[in-house]
Amino acid sequence: MKLSIQNIIPIIKAKWFGNDDTAVIDFISIDSRSLQNDRNTLFFAISGPNHDGHVYIEELINKGVAHFVVNQIPKGIEDKANFLIVGNTLEALQKLATFYRSQFEFPVIGITGSNGKTIIKEWLNFLLSPDYNIIRSPKSYNSQVGVPLSILGINEKHNLGIFEAGISLPHEMEKLQKIIQPTIGILSNIGSAHDEGFATVAEKIKEKLKLFVSVNVLIMNKNKTICAFVNPKTKLFCWCSDDKSADVYITKKKIGEVTELQVTYREDTFLVTIPFLDQASVENAIHCMMLLLYFGYSHKIIQTRMVQLYPVEMRLKVKNGINNSTIIDDSYSSDFQSLKIALDFLENQKQHKKKTIILSDIFQSGLSNEDLYSQVSQLIISNKISRVIGIGETISQFKNKFINSTTFNNVSGFTQAFDTLNFENETILIKGARNFHFEEIVSLLEEKTHETVLEINLNAISHNLNFYKSKLKPKTKMMVMVKAFGYGNGGFEIANLLEHHKVDYLGVAFADEGISLKNAGITVPIMVLNPEATSFAAIIQYHLEPEIYSIKGLKAFLKIAAQKNLKRFPIHIKIDTGMHRLGFEEENLEDLIQILKGNETVQIKSILSHMATSDDLKHDDFSKSQIALFEKLSSKLQNELNVKPIRHILNTSGITNYGDSQYDMVRLGIGLYGISNDAEEQKELEIVGTLKSVISQIRTIDTGESVGYGRKFIAAETTKIATIPIGYADGISRAWGHGVGYVTINNKQAKIVGSVCMDMLMVNVTNIECKEGSTVIIFGENPTVNFMAKQLNTISYEILTSISQRVKRVFFRE
């Protein structure tokens, strides 16, 4: 897109404040981290209940960004950039996208529903791409922010649009309808997702249908309940499996690993094969087929293309690679818009200075190849990519546009040269169109571990952080605990995300955890909560900040600090207010004061204590007595030493239950990872970690036969048993066996039978449709970590931190 500032001002009804309104904008941004931000970027400082883009403006100005859409100009930078002042920056972004969409008249498909939107969009892109130049929502950009950003990617060469719209609250869809302006509608299904935002199912259906108020046709599964809410003037093109009056009548039959559809349309009946068995995938595929029928495709083309549908991977995944490398796996799509997103994600991974991209030919850009690869080259330069490996005949022709590039016509050529490419100590973005089969490259580069993985949702981390931030007073700082390998979820990746969100401190248990984060490039101050005297020298060397909790420890640290001629090195004083674990007690305070009075070697950065029962209001009196004692002792230290350090006592449960005692800072721990002791609060949090495995083998045993060590399970009838490669060496408690626990396979509970072994466990899948290689959920949404902890009479912390380091962590962003 190219729009002048002069044109944008009236579109978004902005007040101009600056010295250059002649600039031409070619990039719209809401992400301060993007290296694509430059002099021609217009940055929208989006403000929400839990975040504020305005805090990043000065940082962006220092990086060269000159144009901002703001609610107000932050103090001190009024003359440093050009500002477009509006009442609401999100609404301004939506107004700009609405105007921009109105400049194009090609057909636009709008998709909504509770589930399947992204899959339908990606499959339609695959099915229609041989015949159209398509612009579509990248990834799952279907929100109030994602939709306008998707629309702003349109260019004059596109001749078909496919956009998805997702809502969670009333009155959101009418905004998205104005932006997308769909001419063709697809309603996937109405399920339970986001039910909490609507008073009734009827309210949600009405809201969803607002997307289709002006469409030429609406494609949907014929359903009496939903049809009752459809505007009678809307033309429907419906399918059904139990009502022959539908426009298209379909019967389904499972044959081996595929589903065969018998399709009756008008006077014709023909067969279509879908390479899926599950109901959701089959329904999503039928919606796509309906669009092909509406567009007039022949039966032969429909049959040929539908059988080629494939599982859709909607997430960027971070994996450990060979030779100390990190892989970002985006190996199933290659288009210009999603490349921008992937490069931004790559910039967020800062374990390695060296950055490599393995990139296939790019399709459906709407640009000539010359323009396309020139723009790709600029993207790669702005993202400071060290090496480009291109795969495909087209990208190979434009090799000269890339610095330090190697190209191959196909994956086979890459594979043959693999040993000469020397991958080590780098971050590798793998970005390829599906037909290039880049999963073969991922397999070559991925560190070889067993098939059990802990998937970490970085979007959920951000959501949970913002949820707790919303509980804080404006000036309350936040420390986030990333000790114990981020409560089992992974250290650096989470710390890196927290650094972006501008948390004030990170907390680790031991010095080596902090050193690891510093070596990985984390710059946020890091407090070491349980420092050992032997680690003091390393703490000083790596600019960590120790918690001091005893006279002995204080003297040991002061001795080393004096030897190193330190001045005002930051330390944190821990007070024991009743936890009786670590900390100075009241009778120690005079000695502490005498030692520190007049000492210039160290600086008391904070005074803290720890609550023992903040999660249990039965002990409310005790908790309040801790807070009162903390107030008394910390005030005494402040007054006697004439200092004004940060004070903090609240942990996750304390933030919720004792919000009046936030002092200067709070410490967020398990809540960040989606775990709360409060049932109502738990509903507000998102699941962060999902532990997954696969079925290694399935066998059928007869009545009287046993499973596992000690014959703890004896079959009472013919039973189908699945073996899963995860056991107590991976962190699954043996107490979770013997029918106590279960796993989830194809949305059904499979009870664990017999004993949990060191490296595997066995489950009963007699009534579950599955096969060897099927995905198994150990914990996540079902069962939850909280449920497991309750059944095992333990706490969620133990479940999470018990997951072995041999279980591969895969980080993803939706």
Side-chain angles (χ1 to χ4, degrees), residues 350-378:
K350 297 181 179 178
Q351 297 97 317
H352 309 287
K353 291 183 179 179
K354 183 179 178 183
K355 297 186 288 187
T356 293
I357 181 170
I358 302 175
L359 181 65
S360 78
D361 288 347
I362 296 174
F363 302 112
Q364 298 176 307
S365 68
L367 304 169
S368 69
N369 284 336
E370 179 70 31
D371 288 343
L372 169 63
Y373 289 102
S374 293
Q375 290 194 28
V376 172
S377 174
Q378 287 303 308

Side-chain angles (χ1 to χ4, degrees), residues 641-655:
L641 295 172
N642 193 28
V643 293
K644 191 71 175 173
I646 298 166
R647 291 193 289 175
H648 48 114
I649 188 172
L650 299 186
N651 53 8
T652 297
S653 296
I655 295 170

Side-chain angles (χ1 to χ4, degrees), residues 500-607:
H500 165 69
H501 283 292
K502 296 186 179 296
V503 302
D504 300 282
Y505 265 92
L506 298 177
V508 298
F510 300 105
D512 57 352
E513 294 174 313
I515 291 169
S516 177
L517 294 178
K518 286 290 187 179
N519 283 336
I522 297 299
T523 60
V524 177
I526 298 173
M527 176 176 159
V528 183
L529 282 83
N530 304 338
E532 297 158 317
T534 54
S535 68
F536 284 159
I539 284 173
I540 293 168
Q541 178 183 348
Y542 287 93
H543 303 287
L544 304 173
E545 301 181 16
E547 174 188 288
I548 302 297
Y549 50 81
S550 69
I551 296 295
K552 180 181 177 182
L554 176 60
K555 288 180 176 179
F557 188 81
L558 290 175
K559 181 179 179 181
I560 294 176
Q563 291 171 352
K564 295 182 177 293
N565 296 315
L566 298 181
K567 293 293 182 184
R568 300 182 61 76
F569 192 91
I571 63 171
H572 302 262
I573 300 298
K574 176 74 167 285
I575 298 173
D576 181 4
T577 56
M579 183 81 160
H580 295 330
R581 193 172 63 176
L582 293 174
F584 292 95
E585 295 182 288
E586 187 168 6
E587 55 264 33
N588 305 137
L589 237 55
E590 286 301 331
D591 290 341
L592 173 64
I593 291 167
Q594 290 307 312
I595 293 171
L596 288 175
K597 189 170 283 188
N599 192 308
E600 291 294 318
T601 309
V602 294
Q603 171 194 10
I604 302 176
K605 197 70 183 231
S606 83
I607 302 172

Side-chain angles (χ1 to χ4, degrees), residues 448-468:
K448 302 304 180 280
T449 54
H450 66 93
E451 294 175 290
T452 297
V453 299
L454 180 60
E455 292 188 346
I456 311 299
N457 185 338
L458 296 176
N459 296 81
I461 293 270
S462 295
H463 170 87
N464 296 340
L465 176 69
N466 286 329
F467 171 75
Y468 284 102

Side-chain angles (χ1 to χ4, degrees), residues 57 86 88 143 169 174 184 224 345 367 467 559 580 646 663 721 769 808:
I57 290 177
V86 297
N88 184 301
S143 66
L169 294 170
E174 51 202 80
I184 300 165
K224 289 183 180 179
F345 189 78
L367 304 169
F467 171 75
K559 181 179 179 181
H580 295 330
I646 298 166
Y663 285 95
I721 300 293
E769 192 176 87
K808 178 170 60 178

Side-chain angles (χ1 to χ4, degrees), residues 1-5 7-8 11 23-26 96 99-100:
M1 64 160 288
K2 283 189 181 294
L3 288 172
S4 71
I5 287 285
N7 287 337
I8 292 173
I11 292 169
V24 175
I25 300 300
D26 61 17
L96 180 61
F99 166 81
Y100 191 70

